[in-house]
Amino acid sequence: MKRFLGYLLVAALLVAGVVSVNAAEYEVTLILKDNTSAGWRYLASAAIAAGEKIGVKVTENSPLETQNADEQYNAMLDAIEKQVDAICIAPVDSAGIVPAIEKALEAGIPVFTTNTRAFVKNPEDIVTFVGVGNEKGGYDIAQYMFGKLSDLEKINLIIIDGNRTGQTTLDRIAGIEAAIAEDDRVVLLDSQEGKFSRANAQEIMESFLVKYSEIDLVIALNDEMAIGAYNAISAAGREGEMLISGFDGAPEGLQAVLDGQISATLNQDLPGQGSGVIEAVKAYLDGESVESWIKVGGDVCTPENAAEFLAKLKK
Amino acid sequence: MNSQSLRSRRETLAHYYHKVPATVFLLFGMILFFSLLSDKYFTVSNIMNVIVQCSSGVGIVALASYLAICSTGVDLSLGGIVSLSGMITAKILTWDIPLFSQIRNNNPVFLLLIAVTAAIAAGAAIGSMNGLILARTKIPSFIVTLGMYKICETFSRVIAGGTTIRINGLPLFEFIGNGSLLNVQIGRRSIGLLPISMIIMLLLYIFFSFVMKKTRFGTYVYAIGGNNESAALSGINTVLTRYRVFLYGGMIAAFTGIIFTSRLTSASAQNGLGLEFDGIAAAVVGGAAMSGGRSTPGRTLIGALIISVMKNGFNMIGMSNSIQMIAIGCVLIAVVSVDTLRNRRRFV
């Protein structure tokens, strides 16, 4: 028993060392969709860096497994118990998170969304949404890609979907569908949920390559999946046959555009979403007024301008 | 007091000390540890928060995992059953066909009963399929249940039709996952002291504690876990007992599915996937041995609480999730090691 208590003490000291005392003005919990994929890391590190600059302590508490709605729900409840000054969340399940948001409001904690909206009953329940117009983004990139294939009489399209419980996926798909409706050359062959993961998209694309002999365009709902699709296509030796587009404008995606692996991506300015939401928190808690939608990004990144966006990100 | 009675008293104390599982000390040690690091940890609202997180997540699933492990099996289909049963509940509550719309308008309570019954029936059906395949073939349980997990997940996706099913305007249903029979007002917040999900969890644990201790079925499960062949030779119907273990496991997991859907007021095919491993971890931390025949429902509940306390505590002290998993992994291995060493000492 003594030894056991000894172990416990050592563990306590270790953790106490990890948790340093921070004298920041405000404390914020940031809940993203996972702890592993590149896009979310850019958003999180920009948020933390912005917080350090303006005196907001940002603690990230994203689920380990990608797209885990329940872990996000629990993280919200824990943040409420911690009595943080504000909660920033990119909900996996835009509807499912609503009861937790209502609990936060009951406890007097303001909630901000970044990247993905929550389907709250009263729009004023969310202080602000920091993000790109996903429907317009989806429309713009689809239209750009259809334009690149202007010499084709028929465009065989594959969509690698994200996660149908999130608002971003639904909006991007709505935008893409609007573009499809305007262009009668487009035939949607198939679409499948890749859950925004490179590995999933690669597997999905491998089977589509077997299933369909003629594919002209692959629209992936984020860069990770676009690169996954490219990997499958290049492994099959069919790079010349089809174009690929991504969404995010994260460094990997922009690099892939420059390397000619994918044709375009949509810049949703993930670092801007991170720093933007923390700046909005600070402004709101300081008593300033905050717009209900802080728009960031929205540009189509092409081989012509990708280097510019990349340079901006690296700065 | 003479020396003899002092000695016997000391022996009684030692006896009780050995009767208390090491995990109880660990649970209280952890609560103390987190209380020292965060002043908001040891509050009524956070304690209730942990209990609700436990009862709507790993808590109930751990009981099903324990039953399977106790009979030398393992049930990997539990996460799939949670997903499927939760999805069936949501589908029935929102299904837009004349029959169900009519019931919904006239008698929502009856519709709720149908939905809950269907979810538990689905859990029972999957569990009984697990049991039947295991009884008829010699395939290890982890393979059969892994296959069943995939089947459940896919069915759940098909029912969902690639989206999330949202449930609106059924306050009685939302009450299962979010409601409480007794509330206290602390500041602006109302804290539930008797959450429904906790009551469901405790009733299941009390019921199965009784079953495992007092009924023939419980004795048989422990006998199979102790030694399957000698259990069979002594006339126990091991095939039927195993079948019942998986049947009950499926029904237990369905409760989590219902609570899950109610708590999120929506069902997504992803809900609950992965809980089967948390359940196994909880059962093992609680004292179950993969070789079977050990632990009790009560100990399993302590294991589940330890996992919930850890996850919540690390969040409260602001530890990042990636490091949390290292800590949880270490605790899992440490607890099992300490328990093994402690038992060896006791039996020598």
Side-chain angles (χ1 to χ4, degrees):
Chain A
M1 197 61 202
K2 258 185 202 159
R3 194 185 282 175
F4 175 60
L5 284 175
Y7 287 149
L8 206 66
L9 192 67
V10 171
L13 290 174
L14 277 177
V15 175
V18 172
V19 185
S20 58
V21 183
N22 196 315
E25 203 182 334
Y26 299 121
E27 203 186 347
V28 171
T29 293
L30 175 70
I31 304 167
L32 303 177
K33 293 184 193 176
D34 70 47
N35 225 315
T36 45
S37 51
W40 297 115
R41 295 307 92 219
Y42 291 116
L43 203 165
S45 50
I48 292 166
E52 274 168 10
K53 237 184 260 169
I54 56 176
V56 177
K57 187 191 172 202
V58 181
T59 309
E60 197 204 342
N61 217 332
S62 310
L64 274 182
E65 284 166 59
T66 191
Q67 312 285 332
N68 187 327
D70 184 56
E71 252 187 85
Q72 278 200 330
Y73 195 97
N74 284 341
M76 282 281 287
L77 296 189
D78 289 343
I80 295 169
E81 292 308 328
K82 233 173 127 186
Q83 295 162 26
V84 290
D85 297 299
I87 298 173
C88 303
I89 183 164
V92 166
D93 184 338
S94 294
I97 201 70
V98 171
I101 292 176
E102 283 165 0
K103 287 197 172 91
L105 297 178
E106 195 187 281
I109 300 173
V111 180
F112 296 69
T113 48
T114 181
N115 183 277
T116 309
R117 288 177 187 272
F119 298 142
V120 282
K121 284 163 201 142
N122 314 310
E124 58 269 26
D125 282 356
I126 299 293
V127 177
T128 183
F129 165 66
V130 183
V132 74
N134 281 289
E135 190 167 345
K136 182 170 184 307
Y139 176 82
D140 285 352
I141 195 140
Q143 215 189 26
Y144 172 82
M145 294 308 290
F146 298 158
K148 282 211 101 174
L149 296 168
S150 54
D151 51 335
L152 291 185
E153 279 175 12
K154 186 182 164 204
I155 300 174
N156 293 305
L157 173 66
I158 291 283
I159 297 178
I160 303 192
D161 212 330
N163 165 20
R164 289 275 175 140
T165 69
Q167 165 263 334
T168 47
T169 300
L170 298 173
D171 280 7
R172 282 173 207 174
I173 291 290
I176 295 167
E177 279 171 354
I180 293 174
E182 283 175 17
D183 196 327
D184 48 16
R185 296 175 301 151
V186 184
V187 179
L188 178 59
L189 293 181
D190 218 331
S191 79
Q192 208 171 323
E193 277 190 7
K195 300 278 174 218
F196 296 116
S197 129
R198 189 185 292 209
N200 286 351
Q202 189 162 341
E203 264 177 43
I204 291 170
M205 197 62 218
E206 279 161 2
S207 51
F208 282 162
L209 285 168
V210 176
K211 199 166 155 192
Y212 301 105
S213 55
E214 255 184 65
I215 303 172
D216 303 306
L217 176 59
V218 179
I219 295 182
L221 288 201
N222 78 345
D223 289 347
E224 284 287 307
M225 296 196 295
I227 296 169
Y230 169 79
N231 290 343
I233 294 164
S234 82
R238 290 172 66 177
E239 294 110 307
E241 293 176 30
M242 61 199 91
L243 298 180
I244 311 166
S245 77
F247 203 109
D248 272 355
E252 286 84 357
L254 292 170
Q255 194 58 52
V257 173
L258 288 175
D259 295 345
Q261 297 177 340
I262 67 177
S263 305
T265 175
L266 192 111
N267 175 38
Q268 62 163 336
D269 192 9
L270 292 164
Q273 292 180 2
S275 57
V277 76
I278 298 304
E279 282 156 12
V281 166
K282 162 90 172 158
Y284 178 79
L285 294 175
D286 282 347
E288 294 165 30
S289 71
V290 178
E291 281 175 61
S292 64
W293 180 8
I294 298 171
K295 284 184 196 174
V296 294
D299 310 289
V300 178
C301 306
T302 61
E304 292 80 43
N305 64 13
E308 232 172 274
F309 283 106
L310 195 58
K312 233 187 273 173
L313 282 179
K314 291 211 165 135
K315 209 157 48 178
Chain B
M1 201 179 283
N2 61 35
S3 67
Q4 204 172 0
S5 78
L6 196 68
R7 206 167 118 208
S8 71
R9 203 162 155 204
R10 212 180 277 150
E11 275 167 5
T12 334
L13 272 179
H15 173 74
Y16 277 118
Y17 163 65
H18 277 303
K19 273 214 143 178
V20 177
T23 46
V24 173
F25 296 114
L26 183 71
L27 181 62
F28 285 109
M30 270 176 181
I31 293 173
L32 181 72
F33 166 69
F34 288 123
S35 308
L36 290 175
L37 286 178
S38 162
D39 55 338
K40 286 150 195 157
Y41 187 79
F42 200 71
T43 57
V44 177
S45 64
N46 192 46
I47 290 168
M48 293 320 294
N49 175 31
V50 175
I51 292 174
V52 171
Q53 287 186 1
C54 181
S55 57
S56 57
V58 62
I60 295 175
V61 171
L63 180 60
S65 295
Y66 149 77
L67 281 179
I69 293 173
C70 201
S71 66
T72 70
V74 64
D75 193 343
L76 297 181
S77 66
L78 296 171
I81 296 176
V82 171
S83 169
L84 180 62
S85 55
M87 186 60 71
I88 289 176
T89 314
K91 186 73 195 179
I92 291 181
L93 288 176
T94 57
W95 209 349
D96 228 3
I97 56 171
L99 175 66
F100 282 115
S101 311
Q102 214 174 354
I103 303 175
R104 188 161 42 240
N105 294 334
N106 297 336
N107 197 348
V109 179
F110 183 54
L111 184 68
L112 191 62
L113 276 179
I114 298 177
V116 168
T117 314
I120 295 171
I126 304 289
S128 106
M129 261 189 276
N130 277 332
L132 278 178
I133 298 170
L134 285 170
R136 290 278 156 224
T137 65
K138 287 220 178 318
I139 309 174
S141 57
F142 76 90
I143 294 177
V144 173
T145 54
L146 182 66
M148 207 51 87
Y149 170 95
K150 290 284 167 197
I151 294 170
C152 290
E153 187 192 343
T154 311
F155 267 121
S156 185
R157 277 182 203 290
V158 170
I159 296 173
T163 173
T164 309
I165 299 185
R166 299 191 185 109
I167 301 157
N168 286 323
L170 270 172
L172 190 66
F173 178 65
E174 286 173 32
F175 197 69
I176 299 175
N178 291 311
S180 162
L181 291 183
L182 180 69
N183 289 295
V184 284
Q185 198 74 22
I186 299 180
R188 289 171 56 186
R189 301 176 57 197
S190 121
I191 312 291
L193 292 182
L194 282 176
I196 303 294
S197 56
M198 177 186 87
I199 295 171
I200 296 175
M201 176 175 80
L202 288 182
L203 286 178
L204 282 170
Y205 271 95
I206 291 168
F207 177 71
F208 275 95
S209 292
F210 172 80
V211 167
M212 294 303 284
K213 217 173 183 171
K214 299 279 180 204
T215 66
R216 222 180 280 162
F217 168 72
T219 319
Y220 288 176
V221 172
Y222 282 121
I224 290 174
N227 188 331
N228 189 29
E229 271 171 40
S230 49
L233 286 175
S234 63
I236 295 174
N237 188 341
T238 57
V239 173
L240 180 67
T241 309
R242 274 235 180 77
Y243 167 80
R244 285 172 67 188
V245 162
F246 282 89
L247 171 71
Y248 298 157
M251 291 169 80
I252 293 169
F255 280 95
T256 305
I258 297 165
I259 294 174
F260 234 89
T261 299
S262 158
R263 196 165 124 155
L264 298 174
T265 59
S266 62
S268 145
Q270 276 161 284
N271 285 356
L273 301 184
L275 267 185
E276 63 283 352
F277 287 109
D278 280 351
I280 292 171
V284 170
V285 167
M290 296 312 278
S291 52
R294 279 189 54 199
S295 194
T296 61
R299 285 173 187 236
T300 307
L301 182 58
I302 292 169
L305 281 172
I306 286 176
I307 293 203
S308 302
V309 162
M310 264 198 287
K311 282 189 174 173
N312 163 267
F314 289 139
N315 282 351
M316 294 295 279
I317 60 173
M319 187 193 267
S320 100
N321 284 30
S322 347
I323 304 174
Q324 281 185 24
M325 279 297 145
I326 301 179
I328 293 175
C330 290
V331 168
L332 179 67
I333 296 171
V335 166
V336 178
S337 318
V338 167
D339 201 34
T340 335
L341 292 174
R342 210 160 158 262
N343 280 322
R344 197 197 292 160
R345 243 177 268 140
R346 189 177 358 153
F347 290 129
V348 165

